[in-house]
Amino acid sequence: MGCRRPGLRIVTFEMGSKERQDLYRQGGLISITSRILVVDMLLSDIPVETISGIIVLHAERVTPQSTEAFIIRLYRQKNTEGFLKAFSDEPEHMTVGFSPLKDIMKELHVRNVHIYPRFHETIKESLERRKADVVQIAVPMTSYMKDIHGAIIQCIEGTLSDLKRNNTELNLDDLNVQSAYFRNFDIMAKRQLNSVWHRVAFRTKQLVGDLATLRRLLNYLLSYDPLGFQAYVETIIASNSTTAAGQPNHNRSAWLSSDPAHIIFQSARRRCFVSSKLMKGNVVSTAQTESWDVLDEISGTVGMPSRPSWLPENIAPILEEPPKWETLVETLMEIEDLIMCYPVPTGHPGTNTVLIMCSSDRTCNQIREFLSSMDPTAKPGSKGRKFMESRLRSYLFWKGKLGQEGKRRDEGDSSNNGPNSAGTSAESGMSEALKRKDARMKERQGSRRRVRGGPPGSAGASSAAVERSADQSSRSGAMGGEGVIKEEAEELATFLDGVESTAIDMPDLGLLTQMALEADDFDEHYGLVQPEHSVVVRSYSDDTDDRVLSEIKPRFIIMYEPKLDFVRRIEVYRSSTPGLAVRVYVTMWDTSAEEDMYLAELRREKDAFESLIRERSV
């Protein structure tokens, strides 16, 4: 069959029709995509009668409308002697609907099915013969992260209650908070409403979209840095404040007007910075200077420039680092000690390359930047200060540019008001002046309020008056911060106008690279990196993860975010590589949606296999 010579050959879109015909006549093992194969079969470029057999991967994707089902029908019309086999490693997809396994077997024209779950006696004995050393690390969340996490869960529960209340005629009991963690939750919700989707109200469709937004918000809380999460929260608020035409949006999402949404907005801001009201013409007071000295003493930057030139005076950076970063650094240091204590002997199948697996490419880039710019000698929780400052600078620049665009838009609208533009601008200026006056009056009244349990004019009251916060009096939830976002954007736009006037010369990267290549000591500083000095950061993928494991052959694997599919791949990798000792570090947020999602995946896998076994026995 050509298993050894010439071996497996891959057909790609770069091969021409005549080249493929010659390849088919030679025979052997051929890997080909469904789209190319169906075209060659319809054009009779491939002799279907001479095909010994077809192996279909990802059998769970075969449906009556799929290309694979059409190929199998064409194959069986001209060839009834060849074999046909299909494989699938995702049993969860075969449990949705009414007797899905039977439908897939019908489309594949197969009669027998073999099921090998993880708890199968043969599989269990084979995998436990060579088990990997797994170290599970539970990382506690910060107080702000716990507040945001609980508030998002409350918003999901409220949105689900509204969805069930507005659609009492449908059976929506399967929709719960546990199922809302998964990506296919939106598909499940739409499938439940599919029969009446054309006549459901706008409110119901909006609730389904809100559930998808809240699910992403929950995932981004556990994977993004604080500034990236804050930018996403502000984007949600901005998209619900105005329509695409620039008019006020009266069909806002209901969860944004709730009290938990206000907790999300305020806690997300306080993870990044504290912003106070900007008073023009004020000189920095002694109290502010002393507070900055205290911050410098805490961060260990005494004697260094206290404030960078790109940071406005009314913003005090907090820059809370995710605790997983510190855990990652400690894990890498432990691996380095193990590599030094137990070097790889000659002829060992494994390497000392450390493999870090993440859930997305954004998280990979975040980890790469953090590891390349961190300070190993800094205190715990401040090793990524340099990276967080660069993220803060990018965030302020992004927000200032939005403020500049808003100013230009307002100026364009005011210039298009016609001959009465002068009177209108005067009225608008008067109204703005009155608004600022009312705001100052409210601020004075707020500063005169007594703090419960304290005397008038206490420190808690004064600090609450200085810090810029969202309006809580109207119970407007996160939408109460809409004015705060606009005000900060305008102030940053004004600040950027002054900063950009003093141009900063940026180094020419091309010139620096050319100088480095032409340097005399190039060979001393550049060369091939040794395996024990290399760290590979990669996001979870499909079957290519198996190829990565077989090529790199790492002894140490760090799962920055747990994923059940990759755990199964590690078990196969360890079992198929005798003599290789593998240590796996799994970092997971303690008592969080991430932990619940991983446990739910284990339950879903077990329930899926049990369902398939029952369906096969019928």
Side-chain angles (χ1 to χ4, degrees):
M1 293 181 62
C3 298
R4 296 183 179 178
R5 287 188 300 179
L8 180 64
R9 288 162 296 176
I10 301 175
V11 177
T12 61
F13 66 94
E14 298 176 352
M15 298 181 64
S17 177
K18 292 184 178 181
E19 190 177 356
R20 293 201 303 270
Q21 292 179 14
D22 297 337
L23 182 63
Y24 297 148
R25 294 191 189 99
Q26 295 174 8
L29 297 178
I30 299 175
S31 175
I32 187 172
T33 61
S34 302
R35 184 170 299 180
I36 298 177
L37 180 59
V38 70
V39 172
D40 290 345
M41 294 177 74
L42 292 174
L43 296 177
S44 300
D45 290 341
I46 178 173
V48 181
E49 299 83 1
T50 60
I51 297 178
S52 301
I54 295 179
I55 298 178
V56 181
L57 301 181
H58 297 289
E60 73 280 352
R61 302 178 185 175
V62 178
T63 60
Q65 296 80 21
S66 63
T67 308
E68 291 80 5
F70 183 53
I71 290 174
I72 293 171
R73 288 195 294 269
L74 293 176
Y75 172 65
R76 281 309 182 197
Q77 286 176 3
K78 298 182 180 181
N79 190 334
T80 58
E81 300 296 332
F83 68 87
L84 186 60
K85 299 182 183 295
F87 295 90
S88 174
D89 57 354
E90 297 182 7
E92 297 87 358
H93 290 76
M94 296 186 180
T95 58
V96 180
F98 180 73
S99 63
L101 179 61
K102 181 180 178 181
D103 297 338
I104 294 175
M105 293 176 63
K106 178 182 177 182
E107 297 299 329
L108 290 172
H109 294 78
V110 296
R111 296 180 180 180
N112 300 324
V113 57
H114 302 278
I115 301 176
Y116 296 96
R118 179 64 176 82
F119 50 85
H120 192 280
E121 190 65 28
T122 306
I123 303 297
K124 186 178 180 181
E125 181 182 354
S126 176
L127 293 179
E128 289 186 352
R129 194 178 301 122
R130 299 189 185 98
K131 295 179 62 176
D133 184 13
V134 180
V135 180
Q136 185 171 338
I137 305 174
V139 183
M141 294 187 292
T142 62
S143 58
Y144 287 139
M145 292 183 68
K146 291 180 181 179
D147 295 341
I148 298 172
H149 186 275
I152 295 175
I153 297 297
Q154 293 180 22
C155 291
I156 293 177
E157 292 176 349
T159 305
L160 283 173
S161 300
D162 292 344
L163 183 62
K164 295 178 181 179
R165 193 183 307 115
N166 295 337
N167 299 273
T168 56
E169 70 278 4
L170 299 176
N171 185 15
L172 302 177
D173 296 336
D174 295 337
L175 302 181
N176 49 36
V177 179
Q178 291 282 339
S179 60
Y181 295 155
F182 298 95
R183 291 185 176 181
N184 60 349
F185 176 75
D186 313 333
I187 302 175
M188 292 171 53
K190 289 183 179 180
R191 185 182 293 119
Q192 294 286 346
L193 300 170
N194 191 28
S195 59
V196 293
W197 187 258
H198 61 284
R199 57 186 177 89
V200 296
F202 170 78
R203 174 73 172 170
T204 300
K205 295 181 180 180
Q206 188 182 42
L207 290 173
V208 174
D210 292 343
L211 289 173
T213 302
L214 289 169
R215 176 182 57 80
R216 286 193 296 270
L217 197 66
L218 187 61
N219 292 333
Y220 293 166
L221 169 67
L222 304 178
S223 59
Y224 280 18
D225 59 89
L227 289 163
F229 182 77
Q230 169 64 14
Y232 183 70
V233 171
E234 292 186 2
T235 304
I236 294 176
I237 296 175
S239 62
N240 280 268
S241 60
T242 56
T243 61
Q247 302 297 326
N249 188 6
H250 301 291
N251 296 320
R252 298 174 176 175
S253 300
W255 70 272
L256 284 171
S257 301
S258 61
D259 291 340
H262 177 77
I263 296 175
I264 295 173
F265 175 73
Q266 287 287 41
S267 300
R269 283 173 54 83
R270 288 170 180 166
R271 292 178 69 199
C272 306
F273 55 83
V274 175
S275 175
S276 59
K277 293 184 179 295
L278 184 61
M279 300 299 179
K280 296 182 179 181
N282 285 359
V283 182
V284 180
S285 61
T286 307
Q288 291 177 337
T289 305
E290 293 177 355
S291 63
W292 276 106
D293 294 339
V294 172
L295 288 175
D296 291 339
E297 185 176 355
I298 294 175
S299 59
T301 57
V302 179
M304 299 177 62
S306 57
R307 293 182 66 86
S309 59
W310 49 265
L311 185 62
E313 293 291 340
N314 62 320
I315 292 180
I318 303 298
L319 303 181
E320 177 185 271
E321 296 183 13
K324 266 193 178 183
W325 291 0
E326 184 65 30
T327 305
L328 179 62
V329 175
E330 294 175 355
T331 305
L332 290 174
M333 294 177 65
E334 178 181 343
I335 292 174
E336 185 178 0
D337 295 339
L338 290 174
I339 291 175
M340 296 177 63
C341 295
Y342 304 99
V344 178
T346 305
H348 192 273
T351 62
N352 287 329
T353 302
V354 181
L355 178 62
I356 302 177
M357 300 298 296
C358 308
S359 60
S360 63
D361 293 335
R362 181 187 178 107
T363 308
C364 291
N365 295 331
Q366 172 185 303
I367 292 177
R368 292 190 190 102
E369 294 179 11
F370 164 71
L371 294 177
S372 60
S373 62
M374 73 170 184
D375 183 8
T377 61
K379 297 180 180 179
S382 60
K383 290 182 171 62
R385 184 75 178 185
K386 182 179 179 181
F387 170 65
M388 291 298 296
E389 286 181 353
S390 65
R391 295 286 295 158
L392 177 61
R393 182 175 184 178
S394 302
Y395 166 81
L396 296 177
F397 181 79
W398 166 75
K399 198 168 183 179
K401 287 299 182 182
L402 292 181
Q404 291 177 350
E405 293 179 2
K407 281 184 176 181
R408 285 195 294 267
R409 193 184 307 113
D410 295 340
E411 291 175 359
D413 294 340
S414 62
S415 62
N416 294 329
N417 286 334
N420 296 327
S421 59
T424 307
S425 61
E427 293 177 1
S428 62
M430 183 63 69
S431 62
E432 292 294 333
L434 291 174
K435 289 180 182 179
R436 287 194 293 271
K437 183 178 179 180
D438 294 339
R440 285 194 295 269
M441 292 295 294
K442 289 181 181 180
E443 183 182 352
R444 295 193 189 98
Q445 292 175 2
S447 62
R448 287 196 294 268
R449 293 175 184 169
R450 294 187 59 179
V451 180
R452 182 178 297 177
S458 61
S462 61
S463 62
V466 172
E467 180 183 354
R468 180 189 281 121
S469 60
D471 183 16
Q472 295 180 349
S473 60
S474 59
R475 295 292 180 183
S476 56
M479 298 307 296
E482 179 183 356
V484 175
I485 296 174
K486 290 183 178 179
E487 186 179 355
E488 285 183 348
E490 293 175 357
E491 293 177 356
L492 287 172
T494 305
F495 178 77
L496 286 179
D497 291 338
V499 172
E500 289 177 352
S501 60
T502 59
I504 301 176
D505 295 333
M506 298 297 293
D508 188 357
L509 297 180
L511 180 60
L512 293 178
T513 305
Q514 184 67 23
M515 292 172 59
L517 292 175
E518 296 176 354
D520 298 333
D521 56 350
F522 176 81
D523 295 334
E524 298 179 4
H525 301 284
Y526 296 91
L528 295 177
V529 180
Q530 297 297 326
E532 59 269 13
H533 297 156
S534 59
V535 177
V536 179
V537 185
R538 176 182 166 85
S539 61
Y540 294 115
S541 183
D542 46 12
D543 297 337
T544 55
D545 289 341
D546 295 328
R547 190 187 310 167
V548 171
L549 290 173
S550 61
E551 290 179 356
I552 299 178
K553 294 187 181 301
R555 293 172 56 201
F556 303 97
I557 302 174
I558 300 176
M559 297 180 65
Y560 189 76
E561 290 149 329
K563 188 174 179 61
L564 182 60
D565 294 344
F566 193 76
V567 172
R568 300 302 182 218
R569 299 182 191 278
I570 293 177
E571 291 178 339
V572 176
Y573 162 68
R574 175 65 185 91
S575 180
S576 60
T577 312
L580 176 63
V582 181
R583 169 167 286 194
V584 183
Y585 296 88
V586 183
T587 59
M588 187 184 307
W589 293 110
D590 189 21
T591 61
S592 65
E594 187 177 66
E595 182 180 7
D596 296 340
M597 189 185 307
Y598 181 72
L599 297 177
E601 285 182 351
L602 290 173
R603 290 193 298 269
R604 287 178 61 185
E605 183 190 52
K606 182 176 179 294
D607 296 341
F609 274 115
E610 292 177 351
S611 176
L612 292 175
I613 293 172
R614 287 194 299 267
E615 185 178 352
R616 186 189 62 172
S617 62
V618 175

PDB file of all heavy atoms in Angstrom, residues 147-157 214-215 217-219 221 229 260 264:
ATOM      1  N   ASP A 147     -14.763  40.593  43.514  1.00  0.00           N
ATOM      2  CA  ASP A 147     -15.963  41.433  43.410  1.00  0.00           C
ATOM      3  C   ASP A 147     -16.502  41.424  41.977  1.00  0.00           C
ATOM      4  O   ASP A 147     -17.715  41.299  41.762  1.00  0.00           O
ATOM      5  CB  ASP A 147     -15.637  42.869  43.839  1.00  0.00           C
ATOM      6  CG  ASP A 147     -15.271  42.951  45.312  1.00  0.00           C
ATOM      7  OD1 ASP A 147     -15.611  42.024  46.060  1.00  0.00           O
ATOM      8  OD2 ASP A 147     -14.623  43.949  45.709  1.00  0.00           O
ATOM      9  N   ILE A 148     -15.618  41.572  41.003  1.00  0.00           N
ATOM     10  CA  ILE A 148     -16.059  41.577  39.605  1.00  0.00           C
ATOM     11  C   ILE A 148     -16.624  40.224  39.219  1.00  0.00           C
ATOM     12  O   ILE A 148     -17.659  40.133  38.533  1.00  0.00           O
ATOM     13  CB  ILE A 148     -14.888  41.970  38.683  1.00  0.00           C
ATOM     14  CG1 ILE A 148     -14.403  43.383  39.008  1.00  0.00           C
ATOM     15  CG2 ILE A 148     -15.299  41.885  37.229  1.00  0.00           C
ATOM     16  CD1 ILE A 148     -13.135  43.778  38.273  1.00  0.00           C
ATOM     17  N   HIS A 149     -15.961  39.145  39.652  1.00  0.00           N
ATOM     18  CA  HIS A 149     -16.419  37.792  39.313  1.00  0.00           C
ATOM     19  C   HIS A 149     -17.819  37.537  39.864  1.00  0.00           C
ATOM     20  O   HIS A 149     -18.710  37.039  39.145  1.00  0.00           O
ATOM     21  CB  HIS A 149     -15.420  36.776  39.877  1.00  0.00           C
ATOM     22  CG  HIS A 149     -15.690  35.359  39.483  1.00  0.00           C
ATOM     23  ND1 HIS A 149     -16.562  34.551  40.172  1.00  0.00           N
ATOM     24  CD2 HIS A 149     -15.210  34.603  38.466  1.00  0.00           C
ATOM     25  CE1 HIS A 149     -16.615  33.356  39.611  1.00  0.00           C
ATOM     26  NE2 HIS A 149     -15.798  33.355  38.570  1.00  0.00           N
ATOM     27  N   GLY A 150     -18.047  37.893  41.122  1.00  0.00           N
ATOM     28  CA  GLY A 150     -19.373  37.712  41.703  1.00  0.00           C
ATOM     29  C   GLY A 150     -20.428  38.574  41.043  1.00  0.00           C
ATOM     30  O   GLY A 150     -21.578  38.142  40.855  1.00  0.00           O
ATOM     31  N   ALA A 151     -20.045  39.799  40.669  1.00  0.00           N
ATOM     32  CA  ALA A 151     -21.010  40.697  40.015  1.00  0.00           C
ATOM     33  C   ALA A 151     -21.398  40.175  38.636  1.00  0.00           C
ATOM     34  O   ALA A 151     -22.573  40.263  38.233  1.00  0.00           O
ATOM     35  CB  ALA A 151     -20.422  42.101  39.918  1.00  0.00           C
ATOM     36  N   ILE A 152     -20.440  39.628  37.882  1.00  0.00           N
ATOM     37  CA  ILE A 152     -20.765  39.088  36.554  1.00  0.00           C
ATOM     38  C   ILE A 152     -21.694  37.882  36.683  1.00  0.00           C
ATOM     39  O   ILE A 152     -22.638  37.724  35.895  1.00  0.00           O
ATOM     40  CB  ILE A 152     -19.472  38.708  35.803  1.00  0.00           C
ATOM     41  CG1 ILE A 152     -18.640  39.959  35.512  1.00  0.00           C
ATOM     42  CG2 ILE A 152     -19.798  38.004  34.495  1.00  0.00           C
ATOM     43  CD1 ILE A 152     -17.291  39.658  34.872  1.00  0.00           C
ATOM     44  N   ILE A 153     -21.443  37.024  37.682  1.00  0.00           N
ATOM     45  CA  ILE A 153     -22.326  35.877  37.896  1.00  0.00           C
ATOM     46  C   ILE A 153     -23.740  36.349  38.218  1.00  0.00           C
ATOM     47  O   ILE A 153     -24.728  35.789  37.713  1.00  0.00           O
ATOM     48  CB  ILE A 153     -21.769  34.983  39.020  1.00  0.00           C
ATOM     49  CG1 ILE A 153     -20.401  34.403  38.617  1.00  0.00           C
ATOM     50  CG2 ILE A 153     -22.747  33.867  39.331  1.00  0.00           C
ATOM     51  CD1 ILE A 153     -20.446  33.516  37.426  1.00  0.00           C
ATOM     52  N   GLN A 154     -23.876  37.397  39.027  1.00  0.00           N
ATOM     53  CA  GLN A 154     -25.201  37.940  39.331  1.00  0.00           C
ATOM     54  C   GLN A 154     -25.883  38.485  38.080  1.00  0.00           C
ATOM     55  O   GLN A 154     -27.087  38.302  37.884  1.00  0.00           O
ATOM     56  CB  GLN A 154     -25.090  39.032  40.390  1.00  0.00           C
ATOM     57  CG  GLN A 154     -24.658  38.540  41.758  1.00  0.00           C
ATOM     58  CD  GLN A 154     -24.560  39.661  42.773  1.00  0.00           C
ATOM     59  OE1 GLN A 154     -25.169  40.725  42.614  1.00  0.00           O
ATOM     60  NE2 GLN A 154     -23.792  39.438  43.824  1.00  0.00           N
ATOM     61  N   CYS A 155     -25.108  39.133  37.215  1.00  0.00           N
ATOM     62  CA  CYS A 155     -25.688  39.647  35.965  1.00  0.00           C
ATOM     63  C   CYS A 155     -26.149  38.506  35.056  1.00  0.00           C
ATOM     64  O   CYS A 155     -27.198  38.603  34.408  1.00  0.00           O
ATOM     65  CB  CYS A 155     -24.668  40.531  35.244  1.00  0.00           C
ATOM     66  SG  CYS A 155     -24.291  42.100  36.059  1.00  0.00           S
ATOM     67  N   ILE A 156     -25.376  37.417  35.005  1.00  0.00           N
ATOM     68  CA  ILE A 156     -25.782  36.266  34.194  1.00  0.00           C
ATOM     69  C   ILE A 156     -27.063  35.648  34.744  1.00  0.00           C
ATOM     70  O   ILE A 156     -27.990  35.307  33.982  1.00  0.00           O
ATOM     71  CB  ILE A 156     -24.644  35.231  34.135  1.00  0.00           C
ATOM     72  CG1 ILE A 156     -23.448  35.790  33.360  1.00  0.00           C
ATOM     73  CG2 ILE A 156     -25.117  33.933  33.494  1.00  0.00           C
ATOM     74  CD1 ILE A 156     -22.247  34.848  33.331  1.00  0.00           C
ATOM     75  N   GLU A 157     -27.134  35.516  36.066  1.00  0.00           N
ATOM     76  CA  GLU A 157     -28.344  34.952  36.663  1.00  0.00           C
ATOM     77  C   GLU A 157     -29.558  35.838  36.407  1.00  0.00           C
ATOM     78  O   GLU A 157     -30.642  35.337  36.066  1.00  0.00           O
ATOM     79  CB  GLU A 157     -28.132  34.774  38.170  1.00  0.00           C
ATOM     80  CG  GLU A 157     -27.115  33.701  38.531  1.00  0.00           C
ATOM     81  CD  GLU A 157     -26.863  33.635  40.015  1.00  0.00           C
ATOM     82  OE1 GLU A 157     -27.321  34.564  40.738  1.00  0.00           O
ATOM     83  OE2 GLU A 157     -26.208  32.669  40.473  1.00  0.00           O
ATOM     84  N   LEU A 214     -21.711  38.793  28.456  1.00  0.00           N
ATOM     85  CA  LEU A 214     -21.315  38.500  29.837  1.00  0.00           C
ATOM     86  C   LEU A 214     -20.371  37.302  29.899  1.00  0.00           C
ATOM     87  O   LEU A 214     -19.459  37.274  30.738  1.00  0.00           O
ATOM     88  CB  LEU A 214     -22.569  38.238  30.679  1.00  0.00           C
ATOM     89  CG  LEU A 214     -23.429  39.472  30.967  1.00  0.00           C
ATOM     90  CD1 LEU A 214     -24.772  39.061  31.564  1.00  0.00           C
ATOM     91  CD2 LEU A 214     -22.714  40.423  31.913  1.00  0.00           C
ATOM     92  N   ARG A 215     -20.569  36.310  29.029  1.00  0.00           N
ATOM     93  CA  ARG A 215     -19.658  35.169  29.012  1.00  0.00           C
ATOM     94  C   ARG A 215     -18.253  35.613  28.600  1.00  0.00           C
ATOM     95  O   ARG A 215     -17.254  35.200  29.197  1.00  0.00           O
ATOM     96  CB  ARG A 215     -20.193  34.099  28.058  1.00  0.00           C
ATOM     97  CG  ARG A 215     -19.263  32.911  27.908  1.00  0.00           C
ATOM     98  CD  ARG A 215     -19.820  31.908  26.914  1.00  0.00           C
ATOM     99  NE  ARG A 215     -20.074  32.508  25.613  1.00  0.00           N
ATOM    100  CZ  ARG A 215     -19.147  32.742  24.700  1.00  0.00           C
ATOM    101  NH1 ARG A 215     -17.881  32.467  24.955  1.00  0.00           N
ATOM    102  NH2 ARG A 215     -19.466  33.268  23.536  1.00  0.00           N
ATOM    103  N   LEU A 217     -17.075  38.619  28.949  1.00  0.00           N
ATOM    104  CA  LEU A 217     -16.570  39.461  30.036  1.00  0.00           C
ATOM    105  C   LEU A 217     -15.977  38.604  31.153  1.00  0.00           C
ATOM    106  O   LEU A 217     -14.934  38.950  31.736  1.00  0.00           O
ATOM    107  CB  LEU A 217     -17.709  40.334  30.572  1.00  0.00           C
ATOM    108  CG  LEU A 217     -17.327  41.554  31.411  1.00  0.00           C
ATOM    109  CD1 LEU A 217     -16.581  42.572  30.576  1.00  0.00           C
ATOM    110  CD2 LEU A 217     -18.575  42.192  32.012  1.00  0.00           C
ATOM    111  N   LEU A 218     -16.624  37.478  31.448  1.00  0.00           N
ATOM    112  CA  LEU A 218     -16.121  36.593  32.494  1.00  0.00           C
ATOM    113  C   LEU A 218     -14.804  35.941  32.076  1.00  0.00           C
ATOM    114  O   LEU A 218     -13.867  35.828  32.886  1.00  0.00           O
ATOM    115  CB  LEU A 218     -17.179  35.531  32.796  1.00  0.00           C
ATOM    116  CG  LEU A 218     -16.909  34.601  33.980  1.00  0.00           C
ATOM    117  CD1 LEU A 218     -16.797  35.393  35.267  1.00  0.00           C
ATOM    118  CD2 LEU A 218     -18.014  33.562  34.088  1.00  0.00           C
ATOM    119  N   ASN A 219     -14.699  35.539  30.820  1.00  0.00           N
ATOM    120  CA  ASN A 219     -13.440  34.935  30.343  1.00  0.00           C
ATOM    121  C   ASN A 219     -12.321  35.964  30.292  1.00  0.00           C
ATOM    122  O   ASN A 219     -11.165  35.657  30.630  1.00  0.00           O
ATOM    123  CB  ASN A 219     -13.656  34.327  28.957  1.00  0.00           C
ATOM    124  CG  ASN A 219     -14.578  33.120  28.993  1.00  0.00           C
ATOM    125  OD1 ASN A 219     -14.665  32.438  30.010  1.00  0.00           O
ATOM    126  ND2 ASN A 219     -15.277  32.867  27.901  1.00  0.00           N
ATOM    127  N   LEU A 221     -11.977  38.566  32.176  1.00  0.00           N
ATOM    128  CA  LEU A 221     -11.530  38.890  33.530  1.00  0.00           C
ATOM    129  C   LEU A 221     -10.414  37.961  33.971  1.00  0.00           C
ATOM    130  O   LEU A 221      -9.457  38.393  34.640  1.00  0.00           O
ATOM    131  CB  LEU A 221     -12.724  38.794  34.494  1.00  0.00           C
ATOM    132  CG  LEU A 221     -12.393  38.854  35.993  1.00  0.00           C
ATOM    133  CD1 LEU A 221     -11.865  40.231  36.372  1.00  0.00           C
ATOM    134  CD2 LEU A 221     -13.617  38.494  36.832  1.00  0.00           C
ATOM    135  N   PHE A 229      -8.896  44.603  30.278  1.00  0.00           N
ATOM    136  CA  PHE A 229     -10.263  44.375  30.738  1.00  0.00           C
ATOM    137  C   PHE A 229     -11.019  45.684  30.911  1.00  0.00           C
ATOM    138  O   PHE A 229     -12.199  45.787  30.558  1.00  0.00           O
ATOM    139  CB  PHE A 229     -10.229  43.597  32.053  1.00  0.00           C
ATOM    140  CG  PHE A 229     -11.587  43.269  32.605  1.00  0.00           C
ATOM    141  CD1 PHE A 229     -12.336  42.237  32.057  1.00  0.00           C
ATOM    142  CD2 PHE A 229     -12.112  43.988  33.671  1.00  0.00           C
ATOM    143  CE1 PHE A 229     -13.581  41.929  32.566  1.00  0.00           C
ATOM    144  CE2 PHE A 229     -13.355  43.691  34.187  1.00  0.00           C
ATOM    145  CZ  PHE A 229     -14.092  42.652  33.637  1.00  0.00           C
ATOM    146  N   PRO A 260     -24.886  45.272  40.288  1.00  0.00           N
ATOM    147  CA  PRO A 260     -23.646  44.524  40.010  1.00  0.00           C
ATOM    148  C   PRO A 260     -22.832  45.101  38.863  1.00  0.00           C
ATOM    149  O   PRO A 260     -21.591  45.035  38.882  1.00  0.00           O
ATOM    150  CB  PRO A 260     -24.165  43.118  39.674  1.00  0.00           C
ATOM    151  CG  PRO A 260     -25.462  43.008  40.389  1.00  0.00           C
ATOM    152  CD  PRO A 260     -26.060  44.379  40.338  1.00  0.00           C
ATOM    153  N   ILE A 264     -18.823  46.159  38.732  1.00  0.00           N
ATOM    154  CA  ILE A 264     -17.874  45.770  37.687  1.00  0.00           C
ATOM    155  C   ILE A 264     -17.101  46.996  37.205  1.00  0.00           C
ATOM    156  O   ILE A 264     -15.868  46.959  37.069  1.00  0.00           O
ATOM    157  CB  ILE A 264     -18.624  45.097  36.519  1.00  0.00           C
ATOM    158  CG1 ILE A 264     -19.256  43.785  36.976  1.00  0.00           C
ATOM    159  CG2 ILE A 264     -17.682  44.854  35.346  1.00  0.00           C
ATOM    160  CD1 ILE A 264     -20.157  43.150  35.929  1.00  0.00           C
TER     161      ILE A 264
END
